[in-house]
């Protein structure tokens, strides 16, 4: 049975992907998820161990530290550093565990400077 790990399944995009997979007939037991308590995506060792143990065929990277415009403006380094850590840890762990099916969703929040 093929297994899919959705990193960030609790977020807006990740949860939509989870529901979409279910609607398309993928069984719940084939979709792997982990809460923040179960897996710290900013920890390389935890991510590598998780993927080694669960052995997914596909990883969907929809995880990120998110916030509003003011949070991003006030803490740009923290957001960038946290998100780069998550992305690097997952991609490195996929390489270590020989997982070649990866869907990496990037996002950004931009608004025109003079929007009405």
């Amino acid at each position: 049975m093929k297994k899919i790990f959705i990193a960030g399944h609790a977020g807006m995009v990740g949860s939509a992907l989870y529901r979409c997979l279910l609607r398309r007939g993928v069984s719940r037991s084939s979709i792997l998820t982990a809460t923040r308590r179960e897996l710290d995506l900013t920890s390389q060792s935890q991510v590598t161990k998780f993927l080694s143990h669960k052995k997914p065929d596909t990883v969907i990277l929809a995880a990120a530290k998110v916030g509003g415009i003011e949070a991003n403006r006030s803490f740009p380094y923290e957001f960038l550093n946290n998100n780069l850590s998550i992305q690097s840890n997952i991609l490195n762990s996929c390489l270590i565990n020989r997982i070649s099916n990866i869907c990496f969703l990037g996002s950004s929040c931009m608004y025109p400077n003079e929007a009405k």
Side-chain angles (χ1 to χ4, degrees):
M1 169 188 349
K2 299 228 179 220
K3 294 186 277 186
I4 301 167
F5 171 51
I6 303 175
H9 77 284
M12 192 178 345
V13 174
S15 62
L17 287 168
Y18 184 88
R19 292 187 307 273
C20 181
L21 289 170
L22 291 176
R23 281 194 307 272
R24 291 180 176 259
V26 177
S27 69
R28 286 186 194 274
S29 61
S30 295
I31 305 171
L32 306 173
T33 62
T35 65
R36 286 186 179 133
R37 280 193 182 149
E38 296 168 326
L39 177 61
D40 178 2
L41 295 174
T42 64
S43 167
Q44 181 71 69
S45 61
Q46 283 189 34
V47 175
T48 300
K49 189 177 193 178
F50 178 86
L51 294 180
S52 175
H53 176 71
K54 299 292 185 176
K55 301 188 183 323
D57 302 285
T58 301
V59 171
I60 299 174
L61 175 44
K65 177 179 178 72
V66 295
I69 295 170
E70 192 56 41
N72 280 278
R73 195 178 289 157
S74 298
F75 304 101
Y77 173 80
E78 289 81 357
F79 279 86
L80 180 62
N81 188 54
N82 193 277
N83 289 328
L84 287 172
S85 177
I86 290 169
Q87 295 160 7
S88 178
N89 291 340
I90 290 177
L91 294 173
N92 285 333
S93 296
C94 285
L95 181 65
I96 290 166
N97 286 289
R98 299 177 191 257
I99 300 166
S100 58
N101 297 318
I102 305 164
C103 179
F104 181 176
L105 304 173
S107 70
S108 64
C109 182
M110 293 183 261
Y111 297 88
N113 194 30
E114 297 183 34
K116 293 183 180 181

